[in-house]
């Protein structure tokens, strides 16, 4: 095994953690409305912070959401929770039930969780959150042993009062003794700084338990959480630091399915990323792979990955590989390498790219990563029209609601023919602008996509040159662009960031009809008029006319000059000047004098790029104010109690003389809030001097509303969350994290690679010897090719061994950085 040069040294190891969550569907939910149904939606919380809210599915006890989120997290998160609620237009939403998953439960199976899980009742005493800061000492004097518990402060406690705050006090138990701190009124961030001393009583050693309670003048006090430390911890390593609050230990209540169930997919990916120079050899091997002959390759990293991966892992790997090669300016050669291997293996052109191979997934993810702004430009205007106009459209006679149509559009009893003609007019009225925009979008399609399709078409044309396969070259492109990009986005616009909410049932049916039509156009008329959906026949004349236009469009799309140069310049996925998020927000200055809270917020149109956060009265307004992204030091939520308003965030910036300034922005819902938080945090991620703590309240009436401190310059009372972001197409490129993921995948195939190419490397390398061995990996290979494959396999195994060694060398260094702090209960 080779070792790393001493000149590399040991830099800093970064930590990476991502939570992939898919809320699939629910079943057998209880009815909460007088109609005998419910309007369910789901809230996703990580350590009590809302990271996502699904759309509301109206009038359903078996809702289908199909919503997927990737949450980038710090490594020390504790639990994930799903709350199902019934939305009410009047009053508070009703809680149906919850599912809570600990970090340990999620990581018990490396493949994660994919199952139906029953909802449980929501117990207020179990709904605890926040942390407490303690310093404990064990002392001994002439009177015996004494425990001194310094209760300093707590943060992020659950709000128990109607005002959105609590009145917390701490109660300390040791043996048969207990003492209490004072009560701090109206805060979730209390500062006690009180020392409580308890004397040891006769008997066996006792644990230390600290409970937090919300004081109530009327009725019983509300539980806020607890921590407990066993006697051996008190003796060997007395607690000193911040500790996560826990509920009272109790057996998990099983509702027996009476509250229904959710089908969830959850997977946690955790890794420690080495300094960049350690990944360079593996990156070089990956880059070399795509620059060599693709068809005969069997031992390069990409060939091994292609054979190993499957399912959800293949999609994640495809995304990482596309981003890695995009960053190196080699996305074109990478896609060409995979498609050539796929095409070479395909004997029936009708099955080309129909499976979810690494080639298909890579092209699909490439379109999402590079083409999402293009998709939005093409589809958003018509998708918005469909949602806003809510027209009734139906061609299938089995699904026509003639009574509903009479109530909306007709006088008297309508016939199926009337409904069909009206629906046909509406459908073509939407499809026409869609197709006009698509076929006229050649100049707006990203050049990288056009170049990739040009290579794809050339490859397919070389493999299937026969006249009877003349359409295969076009089908290969339209299959990706129409069937895997445009049609899915029309069907589920929320999943492609085209809309904030899912469609209602009627609009969903309209979108399905439009998506079917676009899919038929993308299939270039194959099987048109065949199959079960003969009721689509009235659309056929329009589809056939559109297919002719699409063929011309595809010819123009691939008529592009230039190619990506091997080793060309690295590029950012989203250039700094490109707008990554925009929309109306309500903006408030730090301390507007004399204005009531609601009037202090002004509606402004915001635009965020990698360089600037700017705003104006409207998108067309030429007068704009701005703040450089490089000045941002924190982007955090604001407690509702600060302004008595929901969905408020704060952007903390630092000016040239070091002074901090806060801008408050209100979003219209929790999802928009999370998206802006995530976009701003990702844009400002490289900034130095980020704040580790800040105030979740506002400085009003000469004190902070969160912790009640009277100094504006008082240290922040809550941790910042710069590491918590939502993964999406605009995530910045991170070649080290991407290569680390590739390394982990390659480790799974290391033994197989060794068996295939190196286990019997001392044997004869003639074709006859290989035939006698019966090696499927090398069958038919000439001695020179076999020797080359064995050399490539040996290089790859050596690179993997070096990375193993680097990770081992970093483990002691990581452990030394962690001081021997308190044990968490």
């Amino acid at each position: 095994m080779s070792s790393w040069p001493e000149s590399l040294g040991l830099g800093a190891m970064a930590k990476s953690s991502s939570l992939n969550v898919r809320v699939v569907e629910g079943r057998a939910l209880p009815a909460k409305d007088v109609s005998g149904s419910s309007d369910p939606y789901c809230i996703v919380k990580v350590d009590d912070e809302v990271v996502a809210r699904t759309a509301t599915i109206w009038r359903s006890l078996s809702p289908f959401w199909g919503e997927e989120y990737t949450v980038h997290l710090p490594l020390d998160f504790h639990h994930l929770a799903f709350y199902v609620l019934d939305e009410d237009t009047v009053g508070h939403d009703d809680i149906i039930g919850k599912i809570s998953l600990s970090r340990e439960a999620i990581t018990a199976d490396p493949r994660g969780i994919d199952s139906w899980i029953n909802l449980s009742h929501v117990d207020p005493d179990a709904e605890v959150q926040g942390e407490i800061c303690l310093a404990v000492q064990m002392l001994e004097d002439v009177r015996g042993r004494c425990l001194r518990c310094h209760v300093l402060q707590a943060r992020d406690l659950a709000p128990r009062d109607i005002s959105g705050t609590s009145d917390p006090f701490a109660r300390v138990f040791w043996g048969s003794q207990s003492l209490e701190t004072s009560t701090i009124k109206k805060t979730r961030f209390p500062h006690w700084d009180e020392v409580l001393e308890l004397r040891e009583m006769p008997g066996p050693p006792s644990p230390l338990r600290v409970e937090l309670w919300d004081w109530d003048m009327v009725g019983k006090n509300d539980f806020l959480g607890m921590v407990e430390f066993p006697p051996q911890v008190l003796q060997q390593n007395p607690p000193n630091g911040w500790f996560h609050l826990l509920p009272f230990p109790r057996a998990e209540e099983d509702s027996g399915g009476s509250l229904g169930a959710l089908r969830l997919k959850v997977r946690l990916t955790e890794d420690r990323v080495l300094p960049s120079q350690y990944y360079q050899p593996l990156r070089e091997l990956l880059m070399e792979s795509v620059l060599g002959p693709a068809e005969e390759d069997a031992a390069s990293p990409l060939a091994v990955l292609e054979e190993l991966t499957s399912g959800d892992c293949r999609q994640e790997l495809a995304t990482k590989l596309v981003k890695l090669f995009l960053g190196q300016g080699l996305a074109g050669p990478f896609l060409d390498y995979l498609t050539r291997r796929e095409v070479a293996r395909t004997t029936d052109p009708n099955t080309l790219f129909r499976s979810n191979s690494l080639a298909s997934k890579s092209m699909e993810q490439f379109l999402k990563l590079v083409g999402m702004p293009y998709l939005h430009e093409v589809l958003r205007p018509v998708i918005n029209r469909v949602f806003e106009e809510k027209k009734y459209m139906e061609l299938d006679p089995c699904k026509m609601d003639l009574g509903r149509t009479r109530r909306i559009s007709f006088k008297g009893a309508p016939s199926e023919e009337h409904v069909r003609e009206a629906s046909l007019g509406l459908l073509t009225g939407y499809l026409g602008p869609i197709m006009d925009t698509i076929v006229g979008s050649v100049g707006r399609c990203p050049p990288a996509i056009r170049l990739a399709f040009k290579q794809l078409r050339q490859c397919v044309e070389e493999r299937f040159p026969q006249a009877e396969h003349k359409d295969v070259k076009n089908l290969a492109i339209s299959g990706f662009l129409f069937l895997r990009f445009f049609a899915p986005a029309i069907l589920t616009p929320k999943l492609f960031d085209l809309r904030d909410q899912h469609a209602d049932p009627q609009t969903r049916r309209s979108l399905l009809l439009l998506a079917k039509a676009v899919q038929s156009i993308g299939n270039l008329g194959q099987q048109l008029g065949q199959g079960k959906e003969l009721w689509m026949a009235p659309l056929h004349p329009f589809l056939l006319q559109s297919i002719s236009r699409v063929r011309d469009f595809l010819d123009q799309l691939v008529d592009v000059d230039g190619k990506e140069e091997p080793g060309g310049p690295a590029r950012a996925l989203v250039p700094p000047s490109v707008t990554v998020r925009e929309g109306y927000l309500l903006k408030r200055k730090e301390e507007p004098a004399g204005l009531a809270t609601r009037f202090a917020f002004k509606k402004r149109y915001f635009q965020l790029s990698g360089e600037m956060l700017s705003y104006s009265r409207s998108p067309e307004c030429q007068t704009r104010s701005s703040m450089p992204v490089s000045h941002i030091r924190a982007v955090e939520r604001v407690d509702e109690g600060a302004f008595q308003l929901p969905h408020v965030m704060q952007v903390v910036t630092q000016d040239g003389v070091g002074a901090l300034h806060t801008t408050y922005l209100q979003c219209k819902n929790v999802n928009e809030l999370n998206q802006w938080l995530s976009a701003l945090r990702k844009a400002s991620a490289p900034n130095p001097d980020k704040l580790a703590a800040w105030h979740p309240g506002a400085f009003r009436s000469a004190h902070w509303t969160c912790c009640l401190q009277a100094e504006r310059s008082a240290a922040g009372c809550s941790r910042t969350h710069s590491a918590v972001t939502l993964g999406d197409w605009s995530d910045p490129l991170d070649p080290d994290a991407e290569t680390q993921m590739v390394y982990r995948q390659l480790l799974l195939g290391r033994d197989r690679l060794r068996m295939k190419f190196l286990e019997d490397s001392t044997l004869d390398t003639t074709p006859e010897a290989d035939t006698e061995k019966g090696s499927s990996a090398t069958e038919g290979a000439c001695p020179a090719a076999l020797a080359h494959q064995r050399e490539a396999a040996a290089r790859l195994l050596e690179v993997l061994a070096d990375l193993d060694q680097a990770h081992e060398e970093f483990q002691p260094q990581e452990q030394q950085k962690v001081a021997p702090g308190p044990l968490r209960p």
Side-chain angles (χ1 to χ4, degrees):
M1 180 188 298
S2 64
S3 59
W4 296 106
E6 291 185 9
S7 59
L8 286 183
L10 289 178
M13 178 184 274
K15 298 178 180 179
S16 168
S17 179
S18 294
L19 195 60
N20 298 98
V21 177
R22 182 172 171 83
V23 184
V24 185
E25 57 185 321
R27 69 181 179 194
L29 300 182
K32 290 290 185 178
D33 299 336
V34 293
S35 63
S37 188
S38 290
D39 305 312
Y41 66 92
C42 188
I43 283 177
V44 185
K45 286 187 175 183
V46 174
D47 282 351
D48 305 303
E49 179 168 355
V50 177
V51 296
R53 180 203 191 275
T54 69
T56 299
I57 306 298
W58 303 99
R59 301 180 299 281
S60 176
L61 300 180
S62 299
F64 179 83
W65 289 288
E67 297 195 23
E68 190 166 355
Y69 312 96
T70 298
V71 187
H72 303 306
L73 296 163
L75 287 177
D76 61 348
F77 93 97
H78 295 86
H79 67 273
L80 172 70
F82 301 84
Y83 292 80
V84 180
L85 294 93
D86 166 57
E87 183 166 335
D88 289 330
T89 54
V90 178
H92 292 290
D93 295 346
D94 300 317
I95 297 178
I96 294 175
K98 68 173 284 192
I99 293 169
S100 187
L101 301 173
S102 67
R103 178 198 188 95
E104 292 72 26
I106 297 170
T107 56
D109 187 332
R111 296 169 298 180
I113 294 171
D114 182 359
S115 63
W116 285 96
I117 304 175
N118 286 340
L119 289 164
S120 300
H121 291 281
V122 175
D123 178 2
D125 284 345
E127 296 299 296
V128 303
Q129 66 182 62
E131 299 173 299
I132 185 170
C133 186
L134 302 170
V136 177
Q137 291 177 291
M138 298 299 297
L139 306 174
E140 195 161 351
D141 56 23
V142 293
R143 293 187 296 163
R145 293 189 349 128
C146 167
L147 183 146
R148 178 178 291 170
C149 182
H150 190 178
V151 184
L152 290 101
Q153 58 182 308
R155 61 190 179 195
D156 296 308
L157 300 181
R160 294 295 194 218
D161 298 338
I162 196 170
S163 62
T165 62
S166 291
D167 305 318
F169 68 93
R171 186 178 290 156
V172 179
F173 296 85
W174 191 44
S176 60
Q177 301 179 76
S178 68
L179 291 173
E180 293 181 0
T181 66
S182 59
T183 299
I184 311 293
K185 297 291 187 68
K186 296 183 179 179
T187 180
R188 299 193 306 114
F189 300 84
H191 285 248
W192 290 287
D193 197 15
E194 297 183 23
V195 177
L196 306 179
E197 291 191 358
L198 300 94
R199 287 284 169 181
E200 184 177 45
M201 303 299 287
S206 301
L208 168 67
R209 188 170 79 253
V210 181
E211 298 174 0
L212 293 188
W213 293 84
D214 166 52
W215 179 84
D216 284 332
M217 179 178 293
V218 179
K220 66 174 186 176
N221 297 330
D222 300 313
F223 180 65
L224 291 172
M226 58 161 282
V227 291
E228 189 169 70
F229 307 92
Q232 59 268 31
V233 171
L234 298 177
Q235 290 293 335
Q236 298 170 9
N237 191 14
N240 185 4
W242 285 97
F243 299 91
H244 188 69
L245 291 170
L246 302 174
F248 277 126
R250 64 184 67 200
E252 184 71 27
E253 181 185 357
D254 187 358
S255 65
S258 63
L259 298 178
L262 293 185
R263 186 181 169 207
L264 303 172
K265 293 184 178 182
V266 181
R267 184 162 52 88
L268 178 65
T269 304
E270 295 182 306
D271 234 328
R272 284 167 168 78
V273 182
L274 297 167
S276 185
Q277 64 266 29
Y278 291 92
Y279 295 110
Q280 193 56 34
L282 179 54
R283 273 197 288 268
E284 289 175 358
L285 279 184
L286 287 165
M287 302 309 137
E288 288 175 15
S289 297
V290 303
L291 301 179
E295 292 81 358
E296 297 83 17
D297 184 17
S300 75
L302 286 179
V304 174
L305 289 168
E306 190 178 36
E307 183 179 343
L308 283 175
T309 54
S310 62
D312 291 341
C313 182
R314 179 173 289 165
Q315 178 165 320
E316 183 182 1
L317 176 65
T319 304
K320 298 291 187 184
L321 286 170
V322 168
K323 294 177 77 170
L324 184 61
F325 281 94
L326 271 170
Q328 300 295 317
L330 290 172
F334 164 68
L335 294 170
D336 188 48
Y337 170 91
L338 291 179
T339 54
R340 285 190 177 278
R341 289 175 63 81
E342 177 98 354
V343 169
R345 288 193 298 264
T346 304
T347 55
D348 181 0
N350 294 316
T351 64
L352 186 62
F353 299 121
R354 297 293 179 177
S355 67
N356 287 323
S357 63
L358 186 59
S360 297
K361 282 295 180 185
S362 295
M363 183 66 82
E364 188 177 318
Q365 296 307 306
F366 171 74
L367 288 175
K368 289 181 179 178
L369 288 166
V370 176
M372 199 66 84
Y374 166 64
L375 177 88
H376 290 174
E377 187 178 359
V378 169
L379 294 182
R380 180 167 275 151
V382 175
I383 295 297
N384 286 342
R385 272 186 57 206
V386 174
F387 270 79
E388 291 160 7
E389 294 174 1
K390 297 185 182 298
K391 300 289 188 181
Y392 178 78
M393 297 181 284
E394 186 54 75
L395 296 179
D396 186 352
C398 298
K399 295 183 181 294
M400 284 184 184
D401 183 355
L402 300 182
R404 185 189 186 288
T405 310
R406 180 176 65 249
R407 290 193 300 272
I408 294 176
S409 306
F410 294 94
K411 297 178 180 179
S415 65
E416 286 185 6
E417 185 63 28
H418 288 146
V419 176
R420 187 177 297 111
E421 288 179 5
S423 298
L424 183 62
L426 290 169
L427 280 169
T428 53
Y430 290 125
L431 284 170
I434 289 176
M435 295 312 302
D436 289 343
T437 307
I438 289 175
V439 299
S441 68
V442 171
R444 289 173 285 168
C445 183
I449 291 179
R450 298 181 65 184
L451 285 168
F453 283 158
K454 179 179 182 178
Q455 293 172 329
L456 173 62
R457 181 170 178 168
Q458 181 180 347
C459 176
V460 173
E461 197 170 17
E462 291 172 358
R463 177 70 177 85
F464 299 105
Q466 300 88 348
E468 62 267 27
H469 300 323
K470 63 179 181 179
D471 247 355
V472 176
K473 62 185 180 184
N474 286 326
L475 281 167
I477 299 173
S478 64
F480 284 117
L481 189 59
F482 284 81
L483 275 61
R484 291 180 182 249
F485 198 43
F486 289 145
I490 293 170
L491 183 62
T492 53
K494 184 178 187 297
L495 303 187
F496 286 76
D497 205 21
L498 284 164
R499 297 287 297 187
D500 290 333
Q501 296 286 336
H502 279 308
D504 58 43
Q506 176 186 318
T507 305
R508 189 161 62 242
R509 179 63 183 172
S510 300
L511 293 173
L512 176 62
L513 294 173
L514 292 172
K516 283 180 178 291
V518 170
Q519 193 171 11
S520 296
I521 293 170
N523 275 323
L524 302 184
Q526 287 196 339
Q527 301 179 345
L528 197 63
Q530 304 175 25
K532 299 178 182 179
E533 297 178 346
L534 299 178
W535 46 266
M536 291 282 286
L539 264 180
H540 288 179
F542 178 88
L543 299 181
L544 291 171
Q545 180 186 8
S546 298
I547 288 166
S548 174
R549 298 175 69 195
V550 165
R551 284 197 173 94
D552 293 338
F553 163 70
L554 296 177
D555 288 339
Q556 296 174 43
L557 196 65
V558 298
D559 185 15
V560 56
D561 294 327
K563 64 178 181 178
E564 288 183 284
E565 294 294 332
R571 67 183 66 160
L573 184 56
V574 182
S577 59
V578 170
T579 300
V580 294
R581 187 148 197 90
E582 59 186 313
Y584 280 105
L585 299 172
L586 297 177
K587 174 185 175 291
R588 183 187 194 274
K589 294 181 180 179
E590 257 182 307
E591 188 71 22
L595 284 178
T597 298
R598 293 185 180 276
F599 294 104
F601 281 85
K602 301 295 184 183
K603 188 176 182 179
R604 296 291 182 264
Y605 192 84
F606 279 79
Q607 291 181 302
L608 172 67
S609 70
E611 298 171 333
M612 202 70 65
L613 176 64
S614 59
Y615 57 93
S616 58
R617 291 182 179 272
S618 68
E620 300 80 19
C621 184
Q622 297 300 313
T623 304
R624 304 190 65 82
S625 301
S626 61
M627 58 184 82
V629 167
S630 59
H631 290 185
I632 295 176
R633 295 296 175 262
V635 183
E636 297 296 319
R637 298 172 187 268
V638 176
D639 280 349
E640 286 193 22
F643 302 109
Q644 301 302 314
L645 292 172
H647 318 311
V648 178
M649 65 178 173
Q650 55 183 318
V651 181
V652 183
T653 56
Q654 189 172 35
D655 62 22
V657 297
L660 295 175
H661 304 276
T662 305
T663 301
Y664 297 99
L665 305 173
Q666 186 186 20
C667 304
K668 62 185 177 182
N669 56 50
V670 68
N671 278 345
E672 185 179 70
L673 172 63
N674 283 324
Q675 289 158 2
W676 273 103
L677 283 169
S678 183
L680 284 162
R681 286 170 180 171
K682 284 189 280 193
S684 60
N687 293 357
D689 304 323
K690 301 286 277 297
L691 298 178
W694 194 241
H695 296 278
F699 193 82
R700 304 182 65 199
S701 302
H703 70 274
W704 287 100
T705 59
C706 45
C707 58
L708 309 182
Q709 296 185 82
E711 296 293 330
R712 181 185 285 274
S713 59
C717 58
S718 181
R719 287 188 298 177
T720 54
H721 302 81
S722 59
V724 181
T725 59
L726 294 174
D728 59 24
W729 63 272
S730 65
D731 278 354
L733 300 178
D734 188 346
D736 298 334
E738 290 145 13
T739 313
Q740 171 67 18
M741 193 268 188
V742 171
Y743 156 68
R744 289 294 184 199
Q745 288 295 317
L746 287 169
L747 289 183
L748 300 176
R750 175 159 51 186
D751 291 342
R752 194 184 308 181
L753 185 68
R754 189 180 288 114
M755 283 178 70
K756 271 189 176 184
F757 295 104
L758 301 182
E759 203 167 67
D760 299 324
S761 59
T762 57
L763 300 178
D764 189 6
T765 59
T766 63
E768 292 79 6
D770 286 317
T771 303
E772 290 172 9
K773 287 188 293 183
S775 170
S776 60
T778 58
E779 186 175 355
C782 67
L786 180 56
H788 174 73
Q789 289 179 358
R790 284 178 169 163
E791 180 185 352
R795 283 183 64 199
L796 176 55
L797 290 168
E798 184 178 3
V799 167
L800 296 180
D802 286 346
L803 282 169
D804 288 345
Q805 179 186 341
H807 275 278
E808 290 172 5
E809 291 174 356
F810 267 89
Q811 289 303 321
Q813 187 189 60
E814 287 292 301
Q815 293 167 6
Q816 289 169 12
K817 287 182 181 179
V818 180
L823 296 174
R824 286 184 179 268

